[in-house]
Amino acid sequence: MSTRCEIGVLKDGKIKVIYNHYDGYLDGVGKDLITDWNSEELALKVVDGEYNNEDYKYEVDTIEEWLDALNDTDREYAYLWKDGEWIYAEMTDFFKWPINTEWKSVIKELNKMEKK
């Protein structure tokens, strides 16, 4: 079974986004992003397809527009490079991403997981 996600980078007022089909959970894609793609330069390579070679890419103007685009999809996680770090959000309702979705630091959440 696949855990689908989308990965975005906020740059110059736009968000470049790429779809990821497998291992979208925090300990999968989240860990990979922190370990191997943890700079703006590398994050831009992710959304250009160097992480997963997916063809489904697009660009939006705001986080709200992105969350609206995620509605009625099967994406369970969204990752975003913003302000020098990876943050993420999880789908809260069945195929719905509310505008007030909570974004968390990937590194902080992974550290919490490791301490358990």
Side-chain angles (χ1 to χ4, degrees):
M1 187 167 165
S2 301
T3 304
R4 296 164 184 88
C5 71
E6 289 192 0
I7 305 166
V9 174
L10 178 62
K11 176 128 172 99
D12 300 328
K14 301 238 184 236
I15 302 170
K16 292 176 112 180
V17 180
I18 190 167
Y19 169 73
N20 187 80
H21 192 73
Y22 295 104
D23 300 330
Y25 48 88
L26 190 58
D27 199 33
V29 168
K31 193 172 189 175
D32 287 350
L33 293 174
I34 291 298
T35 303
D36 299 324
W37 306 92
N38 204 18
S39 72
E40 183 175 294
E41 178 184 350
L42 295 171
L44 288 167
K45 289 181 178 187
V46 169
V47 294
D48 284 338
E50 289 190 31
Y51 173 69
N52 64 10
N53 295 319
E54 292 286 348
D55 290 335
Y56 186 64
K57 303 174 194 176
Y58 61 100
E59 193 171 281
V60 293
D61 292 322
T62 65
I63 292 173
E64 293 79 14
E65 185 181 344
W66 184 21
L67 293 174
D68 190 49
L70 288 172
N71 278 328
D72 298 318
T73 69
D74 56 2
R75 305 332 184 237
E76 296 178 58
Y77 293 86
Y79 294 90
L80 177 64
W81 179 264
K82 181 182 177 211
D83 299 328
E85 75 167 321
W86 285 109
I87 57 176
Y88 82 104
E90 296 179 64
M91 182 176 17
T92 55
D93 294 318
F94 190 67
F95 297 126
K96 295 295 177 199
W97 288 80
I99 296 302
N100 63 349
T101 295
E102 180 183 1
W103 291 86
K104 300 176 185 176
S105 167
V106 172
I107 190 87
K108 288 178 184 174
E109 294 301 310
L110 283 170
N111 284 339
K112 285 182 194 176
M113 289 172 62
E114 287 179 7
K115 290 179 182 178
K116 288 183 179 182

